[in-house]
Amino acid sequence: MPPRPAVLTKRTLDKDLDKITHAEDVAKHVLRRLVAPGLGLIFVGLVMLFAGVYVFDRPGAMLVVAAAALAGYMAMNIGANDVTNNVGAAVGARAMTMGQALVIAAIFEVLGATVAGGEVVKTISANIVDAVQVPPVLLGWIMMAALMAAALWINLATWMNAPVSTTHAIVGAVIGAGISAVGPEPVNWRVMLEITSSWITSPLIGGLIAAGLLYLVKTLIIYRDDKVAAAQRWVPVLVAVMAGGFMAYMVLQLSPTGKFQSFTVLLIGIGIGLVSWLAARPLVLAQARALENRNSSLRTLFRLPLIGSAALLSFAHGANDVSNAVGPLSAIVHSVGIGGGGIGHPPLWVMLIGAFGISVGLLLFGPRLIRLVGEEITKLNPMRAYCVALSTAFTVIVASWLGLPVSTTHIAVGSVFGVGFFREWYTRHSKRRIAYIRRKAESFDIDEPEEPNIHETRRRYLVRRSHFMTIIAAWIVTVPVSAALAAMIYWVMFALFV
């Protein structure tokens, strides 16, 4: 007896259509995750074409084009990992949306890298390993290995949701590749000591500045009986301090060495600060008219300085951390005889690769770690976030002015910890806060509130201790891991190509 033919019922058809729909959803999900890496590959290809335009008829062009591709890849990883230090606090405090933060950071990263990034590039490209003692051919391969090793380590750390120091990565990689190539003699250990000491002191300085700023905010604004009136008086001052410091830094960076004396630069900063104070005062007064005398009202008034400090920090980050990508590329360009002005003076097209690479990386891959730093490490509001961002910005700006490749990750995290630990101390010991709470209790005819539970205090007020060990561990292993990886990559490159 022949088998009965299959009957296609409506129920069977619905099941088949559901399977097709689910398969399409899975395919879309997979393809969506491949969009960012695909765009990243396109950017690297465009970087190679861009570099080829400048060096196609010069000796060593292939080496420079390959190094430019690695520099673009490194710059994208810097943008993906370090962007959290720029706008994470503002996003975590809900002063900006993710889209607004990415656009602001991308614009100011490019400006900082191209306008004020040259000084630190000299340190990375010429001062860690003495270029005079290293043959040009070997110097090119040392920097190639360093770029590849640092980029791979940062890429892995970003994938693992670990905000590591990109400065640590590239400095460790340059040392590892340099020692594997020519031994420890050409390594400038004095410069390394200066850089290492800045890694230790910069987070402490950032934490102290952030704690000091938060103390001023609490004393002058938060624990005043009329918070809004106090904010109207002091928020324009904070904006003026930020604008004046930024302009003084710009004058120092853009003017020829010795053109302006320190006193003149100080007067310029004070003048711009006064203009900014006059411009910010009516804006703050207009915002404050309809606000109630509550802490939540202060968030509105602090939104303007927080956005400004995030933009300033993005500029400072671009000026300081662009060197991690284009410093090795600059050394390679000059090792093959391309470019003028000496090894410590990168051509403009080299700076543009780093500047736009950082912005592309933060736009494609930045949101992941922004959420981690802005929302999971500590509880932030606009006042605390402003203190963290402004402290980090000024510390990085001073370091960039001095030519020290400090870690913005160290400074930002140090500022966060400074705010957290200060809040713990202030919550328990501040006489002003205790008197303020008593006045409020008396005005409402209630008993004085008891000291909050220690577990609740840790949950609400402090940086989470669990993240502290993770971050410290990442900082500790970055230099040796990147150095060992760079040494291995150099040996492979030397065996295959040299």
Side-chain angles (χ1 to χ4, degrees):
M1 185 175 180
R4 296 175 60 184
V7 179
L8 187 63
T9 64
K10 184 177 184 299
R11 185 175 180 182
T12 304
L13 181 60
D14 289 341
K15 288 182 178 180
D16 292 339
L17 290 175
D18 287 341
K19 292 178 181 178
I20 295 174
T21 302
H22 290 320
E24 290 177 346
D25 291 339
V26 171
K28 289 180 181 178
H29 179 72
V30 173
L31 291 175
R32 192 180 299 116
R33 298 183 65 179
L34 295 176
V35 169
L39 292 175
L41 286 174
I42 292 174
F43 173 76
V44 171
L46 292 175
V47 166
M48 296 176 70
L49 292 175
F50 180 69
V53 170
Y54 287 92
V55 301
F56 73 96
D57 59 344
R58 306 291 294 274
M62 292 299 296
L63 179 64
V64 173
V65 170
L70 288 176
Y73 174 52
M74 175 67 175
M76 284 196 297
N77 282 291
I78 293 172
N81 197 284
D82 268 12
V83 70
T84 58
N85 310 315
N86 309 346
V87 296
V91 173
R94 292 175 174 78
M96 290 189 289
T97 65
M98 181 68 73
Q100 292 170 340
L102 291 175
V103 171
I104 290 174
I107 293 173
F108 282 89
E109 286 278 352
V110 172
L111 290 175
T114 54
V115 171
E119 186 66 31
V120 183
V121 173
K122 300 175 187 178
T123 302
I124 296 293
S125 61
N127 293 346
I128 295 176
V129 174
D130 190 356
V132 177
Q133 300 183 45
V134 181
V137 175
L138 287 183
L139 180 64
W141 290 108
I142 288 171
M143 293 300 176
M144 284 279 288
L147 271 176
M148 182 176 292
L152 289 174
W153 168 244
I154 298 168
N155 200 161
L156 177 62
T158 304
W159 179 75
M160 296 171 61
N161 283 340
V164 299
S165 168
T166 59
T167 307
H168 279 203
I170 192 62
V171 171
V174 170
I175 293 174
I179 292 177
S180 66
V182 292
E185 290 80 11
V187 176
N188 194 329
W189 297 109
R190 183 185 62 80
V191 172
M192 275 305 306
L193 181 62
E194 293 176 358
I195 295 173
T196 304
S197 64
S198 71
W199 292 342
I200 298 172
T201 58
S202 58
L204 297 177
I205 294 172
L208 289 174
I209 294 175
L213 288 171
L214 186 58
Y215 173 78
L216 292 176
V217 170
K218 284 181 176 292
T219 303
L220 300 176
I221 300 175
I222 295 177
Y223 289 120
R224 294 286 181 176
D225 291 330
D226 193 343
K227 306 172 189 295
V228 175
Q232 290 175 340
R233 184 182 307 111
W234 289 107
V235 169
V237 175
L238 294 174
V239 174
V241 170
M242 178 180 61
F246 176 73
M247 182 53 62
Y249 168 73
M250 289 289 293
V251 171
L252 288 170
Q253 287 294 105
L254 298 180
S255 62
T257 303
K259 182 177 181 179
F260 294 103
Q261 297 181 354
S262 299
F263 182 72
T264 304
V265 174
L266 180 62
L267 289 179
I268 293 173
I270 293 174
I272 296 299
L274 289 174
V275 173
S276 302
W277 177 79
L278 292 173
R281 197 162 184 269
L283 295 176
V284 174
L285 291 175
Q287 283 183 309
R289 284 173 186 166
L291 296 180
E292 299 180 2
N293 187 31
R294 303 171 59 185
N295 283 346
S296 58
S297 300
L298 300 179
R299 298 177 182 178
T300 302
L301 299 180
F302 267 86
R303 187 172 183 270
L304 175 64
L306 180 55
I307 293 174
S309 63
L312 173 58
L313 179 54
S314 296
F315 184 96
H317 177 266
N320 191 275
D321 279 27
V322 69
S323 62
N324 300 337
V326 304
L329 176 59
S330 176
I332 294 170
V333 166
H334 287 89
S335 70
V336 297
I338 301 173
I343 193 171
H345 300 271
L348 177 61
W349 65 269
V350 170
M351 298 297 296
L352 290 176
I353 290 175
F356 285 99
I358 291 175
S359 294
V360 169
L362 71 90
L363 290 172
L364 294 179
F365 308 104
R368 189 173 179 178
L369 287 183
I370 287 177
R371 294 188 183 95
L372 173 70
V373 172
E375 300 174 6
E376 298 179 18
I377 290 180
T378 189
K379 185 178 180 181
L380 293 174
N381 61 23
M383 290 80 79
R384 299 167 208 152
Y386 170 78
C387 296
V388 170
L390 187 58
S391 170
T392 308
F394 272 107
T395 307
V396 173
I397 281 174
V398 173
S400 182
W401 171 41
L402 296 174
L404 294 176
V406 297
S407 167
T408 53
T409 303
H410 278 202
I411 298 170
V413 174
S415 299
V416 171
F417 275 99
V419 165
F421 288 125
F422 171 77
R423 291 177 68 210
E424 177 183 6
W425 176 87
Y426 197 88
T427 299
R428 295 180 178 178
H429 302 288
S430 172
K431 295 180 180 179
R432 181 180 293 276
R433 177 182 179 275
I434 294 172
Y436 172 82
I437 292 176
R438 286 175 177 170
R439 289 198 306 272
K440 288 296 181 183
E442 291 172 358
S443 64
F444 288 100
D445 194 23
I446 60 175
D447 294 334
E448 184 178 339
E450 297 180 356
E451 187 69 19
N453 182 274
I454 185 61
H455 298 294
E456 178 68 10
T457 300
R458 287 186 176 183
R459 184 183 72 83
R460 295 186 59 200
Y461 293 108
L462 299 182
V463 176
R464 294 180 183 175
R465 267 34 175 202
S466 59
H467 289 288
F468 176 77
M469 297 307 299
T470 302
I471 292 171
I472 294 299
W475 290 357
I476 291 173
V477 303
T478 292
V479 171
V481 167
S482 58
L485 186 57
M488 290 187 292
I489 291 174
Y490 174 81
W491 289 329
V492 171
M493 286 183 173
F494 187 84
L496 293 178
F497 303 110
V498 180

